[in-house]
Structures are given as C-alpha cells and as structure tokens.
Amino acid sequence: MKTSDFYFDLPEHLIAQHPSNERGQDKLMVLDRKKGDVLHKMMDDLPSLITPDTLMIFNNSKVRRARVYGIKESTGRETEFMFLNTIKSDLTMWNTMVKSAKKQKPGMRYTFPDGSVGTIVNVEGNAGTEFRAMSFDFSLTEDWFERNGHIPLPPYIKRGDTEEDSERYQNVYATDTGSAACPTAGLHFTKEMLARLDQAGIERDFVTLHVGLGTFLPVREEEIEKHKMHEEWYSIPLETAEKINRAKREGRPILAVGTTSVRTLESAAQELLKKRKDRLLPDDGDVIKAGTSKTSIFMYPGYDFKVVDKMFTNFHTPESTLIMLVSAFAGRENILNAYRTAVQNEYRFFSYGDCMLIR
C-alpha cells in the first residue's frame, strides 16, 4: 500500500491548539468498524455505549517534562532537545531527538538551565537521523527534568507550553513517568467518568507503554511496508494479564483506550505466539503473558488483531502510522469516510481534539 492512500484534507483551524474548556467535554464519534456507520455523541455518553461485560485497558504512562533547551558552548545558541529514553539503563546517557540534528555533532557540549552540562557522544545507528546520544557525569532524575524541562507538546501545536498544559497534557490516572508524549486518548477521561464506568460495572485495568517521539516521525517510504517503526518499552502486570486472558476465555470484549494500549496488547500477543512457535512455551490458552519488553510493531491494513475487539482513540494525522493502525482495525475506507464526516462536522483533531469509539 502507498503512504498517500492514507491522506485526507484537514483544514488547519480544526487542529486543536488548546484543550477544551473543561476536561471530558468533547465530541465523541462512534464508528461501526464492520458497516462503517457513524453516530455523533458526546464523551458524557460513553458509559451507555459500552457493554457491561467489556474489559477496558488504559495506558498509565505519565509524561516527563522531556523538552529541554541547552546552550551550545561553541556558539552560545539555544538548541532544543527531546529526551526520549536512557541508553542501556544508564541514567547518565540518554537518547534524544534534537532540532537541526546535522549541526549537533559528537563532542559538542551544552549547558542546561540549572548549569549542568551534557555532551553529545557517538552511538551506533544515530548518524544521519534526528537522534543524538547525550552523556552527563551524573544521573538524570525526574527532579532534573522538573527543574529544566518543558511539557513536550507535539509539533502541530504551534505555541509554547503553559501551566495549563502541566495538568491538561497528562491523564488523570497516569502514574508511571517515562513518556515523551502523552497517550492522548486518555485525556478525555475524568475521575468522574471513571467512577461512572465503575458504577456501570465496566471492568478496567492498566498497562504501561512509554511513548517515544518516534510516534510523530513522518512515514518517509512511498510503500508503507518498507517503513521501520520506532521502538518503545512496555510492561503488562500479572493481574492485568490474568484479567485479559480470563475475558478472552469468557468471550468478553477487550476495549483498548488509545493506540499505545493497542500496541502493547498486540505486541504481547505476537511475542507469545513466537515463543510457542519456537517451542519455548506450551499452548495453555492464554493470549498474552505478563512482563516487560520492547516493541516496534507496525499495524496497517491486513493485520490480524489477536486481543483488541474495540478501540477508543483520537483523530490522527494524515499519512501517519497511527491512521494506518486504526485503518487496520476498522478498514481504510471506513476510517477515511469517518474522518471526512468529522471534518464536515467541525470535530477538533489530534492530541487536544475530540475522540472516537470504534466498535
């Protein structure tokens, strides 16, 4: 398939630059993934749209203040770094995405707001990419990011971060810090909405996938099958895995909140299938196992979903891996038709925009 097969026209004024006035007061489109039919609802309607036997899976990753500005020693110019993850679990060395990467070379030193200094070092695979490894002579803690960093708003939000973003670009249930971008489907959920879901008897649990900025990298290949996905770390607790396996055995639907939850569940299922194929594990009927791993899964039309039955998600950017993922789930034509309908009805798009339930 071609990357251009996933293009749609989007007026710029529909790209949400700010969150809604009140968390959870958003439009909700409901898409029938088999028929392509669309309903227009509000987020408040969600509990009535989910059957009580559903198990909802959320991503509890918390956003790090990962956008940090350093002053290059050699020029005195400010350079923007996005801190993504540690290298080899060493808190003194970090993988970063950097503006004007070609100009940021190994050996260059940068001073950060608290006076600390980092140095770019060689790491295999980074040459010619947007990524650079940065080394410090001390371990970076979350306190360091709180002192030096900014909320990492995505590139299509054309403004600096504010104090409002510190709260609104964070899910109310987020607990495990490590993401360089918010799992934004969760932004629509309030504590009151979670309580309403509980009252409706809808079970929920959590996985963790730390979102990397690779999620915003464009697909540069003309044929999508040639695209190489970024790698992200995930974890599935034992209790969550047991709930998922029990629900699948009982024929109950799994509703993944956000594409990151989808990536986590489907990656774990693929990993389990591979271990069985390699005769490392017997077939005990489980669809996933608890544990931690890394994933570079790429889902596009033709992918066979093994765990997820329903999906709650935002509206995604044209020609992105995320619109390819939801197209794999609901069909490319159904998704593009739904997106055209969303444009006609003035839905707000992307991270701070409106939402969609695909069932």
Side-chain angles (χ1 to χ4, degrees):
M1 300 187 78
K2 305 293 186 186
T3 299
S4 57
D5 291 337
F6 299 88
Y7 177 81
F8 65 94
D9 286 317
L10 179 65
E12 192 168 339
H13 75 276
L14 295 182
I15 301 174
Q17 297 297 308
H18 296 270
S20 55
N21 291 332
E22 185 178 346
R23 189 190 290 262
Q25 297 303 303
D26 308 298
K27 292 180 181 178
L28 170 62
M29 177 181 285
V30 183
L31 173 63
D32 184 319
R33 68 185 182 118
K34 301 299 183 184
K35 300 178 181 177
D37 297 341
V38 162
L39 297 174
H40 300 288
K41 299 287 186 177
M42 295 296 293
M43 184 63 191
D44 275 345
D45 299 317
L46 184 66
S48 67
L49 299 168
I50 301 174
T51 56
D53 60 341
T54 301
L55 171 60
M56 298 182 72
I57 300 296
F58 295 77
N59 179 10
N60 65 7
S61 182
K62 191 172 183 178
V63 181
R64 172 179 287 129
R65 297 181 74 91
R67 176 178 279 126
V68 189
Y69 296 89
I71 302 298
K72 187 187 292 189
E73 274 191 1
S74 59
T75 65
R77 292 180 179 174
E78 186 176 75
T79 303
E80 177 186 313
F81 293 89
M82 196 73 75
F83 283 73
L84 302 179
N85 54 270
T86 59
I87 297 175
K88 296 181 180 179
S89 301
D90 183 353
L91 292 176
T92 67
M93 189 178 295
W94 287 72
N95 189 37
T96 71
M97 183 183 288
V98 57
K99 284 275 184 76
S100 305
K102 289 182 180 179
K103 297 179 181 179
Q104 321 309 327
K105 302 181 186 301
M108 290 182 171
R109 290 161 50 90
Y110 302 80
T111 303
F112 293 96
D114 67 351
S116 56
V117 176
T119 305
I120 291 181
V121 295
N122 268 318
V123 167
E124 186 179 354
N126 273 1
T129 71
E130 297 91 341
F131 303 102
R132 294 290 182 270
M134 180 162 284
S135 177
F136 294 79
D137 58 7
F138 62 95
S139 295
L140 299 194
T141 64
E142 294 307 324
D143 285 342
W144 187 89
F145 287 104
E146 286 295 318
R147 291 196 309 272
N148 293 279
H150 294 259
I151 296 296
L153 296 177
Y156 44 71
I157 294 181
K158 307 295 186 183
R159 61 176 178 83
D161 63 307
T162 65
E163 278 306 307
E164 179 187 38
D165 297 307
S166 297
E167 184 228 342
R168 294 297 299 273
Y169 194 68
Q170 199 77 266
N171 291 319
V172 297
Y173 49 78
T175 54
D176 291 17
T177 303
S179 279
C182 184
T184 53
L187 293 179
H188 304 281
F189 290 84
T190 62
K191 291 181 179 178
E192 292 73 21
M193 174 56 71
L194 295 175
R196 288 179 60 198
L197 292 169
D198 289 342
Q199 291 165 7
I202 297 166
E203 189 178 20
R204 71 173 182 273
D205 216 321
F206 300 91
V207 296
T208 306
L209 181 141
H210 291 323
V211 186
L213 263 290
T215 192
F216 297 117
L217 288 177
V219 178
R220 296 191 174 97
E221 300 287 351
E222 184 178 350
E223 297 176 3
I224 66 173
E225 294 85 356
K226 296 180 180 178
H227 177 69
K228 300 296 183 186
M229 284 291 287
H230 56 286
E231 191 173 71
E232 294 170 318
W233 179 94
Y234 71 84
S235 177
I236 301 177
L238 178 59
E239 182 181 359
T240 306
E242 289 175 345
K243 285 183 180 180
I244 292 167
N245 289 321
R246 182 166 59 248
K248 296 303 281 188
R249 282 195 297 271
E250 294 171 353
R252 296 162 47 210
I254 306 294
L255 195 169
V257 176
T259 56
T260 57
S261 297
V262 175
R263 284 171 56 78
T264 301
L265 298 180
E266 295 298 321
S267 297
Q270 279 198 352
E271 193 166 297
L272 181 55
L273 285 173
K274 185 179 185 304
K275 286 179 178 178
R276 286 177 178 151
K277 184 179 178 181
D278 294 342
R279 299 184 179 180
L280 298 176
L281 286 175
D283 188 348
D284 56 3
D286 287 351
V287 293
I288 65 169
K289 295 291 186 185
T292 63
S293 189
K294 292 182 178 180
T295 178
S296 56
I297 192 171
F298 182 19
M299 287 172 272
Y300 51 84
Y303 177 81
D304 177 26
F305 285 81
K306 300 161 185 66
V307 182
V308 178
D309 304 294
K310 302 178 182 180
M311 191 186 306
F312 181 95
T313 187
N314 281 6
F315 291 89
H316 304 294
T317 53
E319 300 184 335
S320 65
T321 59
L322 299 182
I323 195 172
M324 293 170 191
L325 185 156
V326 295
S327 295
F329 190 68
R332 186 181 72 92
E333 285 304 317
N334 288 345
I335 288 293
L336 291 179
N337 286 335
Y339 275 43
R340 283 190 284 268
T341 301
V343 169
Q344 291 165 5
N345 287 271
E346 297 277 307
Y347 278 68
R348 301 168 76 237
F349 277 69
F350 309 158
S351 294
Y352 274 149
D354 294 312
C355 49
M356 174 185 281
L357 173 64
I358 308 174
R359 60 182 188 176

